[in-house]
Amino acid sequence: MEKVDGKRREEQEERLQGQADIWSHMFAFADSMALKCAVELGIPDIINSHGRPITISEITDAIITVSPVPSSSPDTNCLSRVMRLLVRKRIFSVQIHPESGQTLYGLTPSSKWLLKDSEFSLAPMVLAELHPWLISPWNYLSKCVQEGGIAFEKAHGSEIWDFALANQDFNKLFNGGMACTAKIVVNAILVNYKEGFDGVGSIVDVGGGTGMMIGEIVKAHPRIQGINFDLPHVVATAPECEGVAHVGGDMFVDIPHADAVIMKWIMHDWSDKDCVRILKNCRKAIPKETGKVIIFDCVLPPDGPDDKGGLFDNTRLVFDLLMIAHSSGGKERTEVEWKRLLKDGGFPSYKIIQIPALLSIIEAYPE
C-alpha cells in the first residue's frame, strides 16, 4: 500500500511540476519585457552612477532627471514591482539598510552587462531584439512550419535587409545590436585564439562589414595584412584602418586571395547550398597546402534535454530559432552538420576549438 501511495504522490508531483513548467514558459516573455524596461529607463546606469546600492526613490528621482526616457512623474509602485521580478531573476541585487530599513537595489554580474557606457555592453542588443520590429516575426513560427517561407517577410512584407535599407531607424537599432555583440565576440577571439594567427601573413574577413573585427586583429598582430571584404555599398562607409584594405565584392562570386579566410556569424545566415558556394570560393582564395578558413559561429549541442549542458547551450538553440525568425534561410548547426557542410565545400579536415563564449572557433583545411 505504501508503494502505491508513494507512486501516486510521485505522479502528482510530476504532474504539478509539469503545470508549473508550462506557466513559466507561457510567461517567459515577461522576464524579457521587464529586462527591456530596465534598459530603456537606464536603471543599471542609474545605480552604477551612485557607486552603491540605492533606494527606489533614488531611482525614480534619476528617471526624472537623467533617464534616456525622462518622466516628470514616474510610478514608484510600478517600478517596485518590475524590480521585484528582476531581483528574482538575479538581474539586480537587493538588501535592507540596517538603520532605515529601506530596500536598496544594486548591480549584479548580469546587470553589469547592461551598462551603456561599458566597453562591453549587451544593452543595444536587448533594445534591438525586444523591439516590436524584431519580436513580430516570432509570431509566425507556426506559419513557417505550415507553409515555409521567411518569418520576417511574413511580418513586415520584406526581408530584413530590404527592411533595413528602407527604414533608417530600424537600420540604426539593428546595427547597434550587431556592433555591441561583435565587440564582445572579437574580444573573446583575441584573448582565446592568439596562437591561431601564428604564421598567417594575410587574412581576408568575408562579410566583415565596416572592418571592426579585422581591424582589431591587425592591431593585435601588426605583421598581418588585413582585407575587409563586403558588398561595395558596405565597405564604402568603412573608416580607414591602418593595415587594412577595404575591398568591395560578392562572396558568392569571388573572394580576395589571402593566407586565411575568417568569417564571423556569416554561415548561420545562409542555407547549406549557399554555404557550400561560399566555402568553395574560400577554397579558391587560400593556398592549397597552408591555407585555412577560420569560422566563428555556433556549434549546437546534441539533440535532447541536458540539464548539465554548456553555459551557452540553451542560447545557441534559441539562436537557431532566431535564424528562422530573422534570416532568409539560415540556421545554426551541430558538429555533424558542420562536418558535412565543410566536406561538401572542399574542406575535409577541421577542428573545433571551444572558447568561453557563445561562439566556437572552427578551423577548416583544404587538405
Side-chain angles (χ1 to χ4, degrees):
M1 187 67 177
E2 287 183 4
K3 287 184 178 179
V4 173
D5 290 342
K7 183 177 181 181
R8 190 171 296 159
R9 277 197 304 271
E10 185 178 336
E11 289 174 349
Q12 290 174 343
E13 288 173 0
E14 288 179 350
R15 183 170 175 78
L16 190 61
Q17 181 62 55
Q19 180 192 161
D21 289 344
I22 294 302
W23 281 112
S24 178
H25 293 310
M26 187 191 313
F27 289 110
F29 71 88
D31 299 343
S32 300
M33 292 301 106
L35 180 66
K36 178 188 176 187
C37 171
V39 174
E40 285 181 329
L41 295 173
I43 292 174
D45 295 294
I46 289 170
I47 296 173
N48 189 58
S49 68
H50 283 74
R52 56 173 174 80
I54 60 176
T55 65
I56 205 77
S57 296
E58 289 175 305
I59 295 175
T60 53
D61 287 345
I63 289 174
I64 293 173
T65 56
V66 300
S67 171
V69 283
S71 168
S72 59
S73 55
D75 188 324
T76 302
N77 176 262
C78 180
L79 177 60
S80 297
R81 291 154 70 183
V82 170
M83 294 297 286
R84 179 168 58 192
L85 177 62
L86 291 175
V87 166
R88 179 80 173 184
K89 296 298 178 178
R90 301 180 182 178
I91 302 300
F92 297 107
S93 66
V94 68
Q95 64 188 74
I96 304 299
H97 193 282
E99 297 177 3
S100 67
Q102 290 181 302
T103 300
L104 303 174
Y105 297 95
L107 298 177
T108 66
S110 296
S111 47
K112 288 177 181 178
W113 281 95
L114 302 174
L115 298 174
K116 293 178 181 176
D117 293 331
S118 174
E119 182 181 4
F120 303 110
S121 173
L122 282 169
M125 188 65 163
V126 170
L127 295 179
E129 290 296 339
L130 299 181
H131 191 283
W133 281 323
L134 288 178
I135 287 291
S136 294
W138 286 97
N139 291 296
Y140 292 83
L141 282 182
S142 58
K143 282 289 187 183
C144 289
V145 171
Q146 291 172 322
E147 59 193 32
I150 298 167
F152 195 93
E153 188 174 30
K154 292 177 188 293
H156 297 295
S158 65
E159 295 187 32
I160 191 168
W161 310 117
D162 294 330
F163 190 79
L165 193 62
N167 186 326
Q168 289 304 306
D169 289 337
F170 173 76
N171 189 55
K172 181 179 179 181
L173 183 76
F174 184 78
N175 286 340
M178 295 301 100
C180 80
T181 55
K183 287 187 68 175
I184 294 168
V185 169
V186 170
N187 180 68
I189 291 167
L190 291 175
V191 170
N192 298 285
Y193 188 64
K194 296 176 183 178
E195 297 80 7
F197 300 114
D198 290 348
V200 178
S202 58
I203 296 177
V204 55
D205 184 358
V206 174
T210 56
M212 190 276 288
M213 181 168 76
I214 189 64
E216 290 299 315
I217 291 173
V218 169
K219 189 185 299 183
H221 304 274
R223 58 180 174 70
I224 292 177
Q225 176 190 353
I227 302 170
N228 178 49
F229 180 66
D230 212 312
L231 294 170
H233 74 270
V234 175
V235 297
T237 63
E240 288 189 16
C241 180
E242 187 175 352
V244 175
H246 298 293
V247 178
D250 185 342
M251 63 186 175
F252 290 107
V253 177
D254 189 45
I255 291 173
H257 290 266
D259 294 335
V261 170
I262 58 174
M263 292 185 285
K264 176 184 66 65
W265 259 334
I266 298 299
M267 305 290 276
H268 77 164
D269 283 329
W270 301 96
S271 67
D272 288 352
K273 181 179 178 181
D274 285 333
C275 284
V276 168
R277 290 175 62 197
I278 296 169
L279 286 168
K280 286 183 176 179
N281 284 335
C282 290
R283 175 70 182 77
K284 296 174 185 176
I286 59 175
K288 184 176 181 180
E289 283 78 24
T290 59
K292 64 180 176 180
V293 170
I294 309 165
I295 299 168
F296 308 112
D297 228 315
C298 288
V299 178
L300 291 181
D303 290 345
D306 185 359
D307 294 335
K308 297 181 181 179
L311 189 61
F312 294 102
D313 277 0
N314 285 342
T315 305
R316 293 182 182 114
L317 290 172
V318 170
F319 260 72
D320 187 37
L321 296 189
L322 186 71
M323 294 300 99
I324 298 175
H326 294 163
S327 78
S328 305
K331 63 178 182 178
E332 306 296 354
R333 296 172 171 89
T334 63
E335 181 174 353
V336 171
E337 291 172 314
W338 276 114
K339 182 178 181 179
R340 182 171 61 248
L341 194 70
L342 292 168
K343 183 179 179 181
D344 291 346
F347 293 87
S349 179
Y350 74 95
K351 68 177 178 180
I352 295 176
I353 303 167
Q354 302 291 354
I355 61 174
L358 179 61
L359 304 187
S360 298
I361 300 172
I362 305 168
E363 280 191 355
Y365 320 100
E367 297 295 339

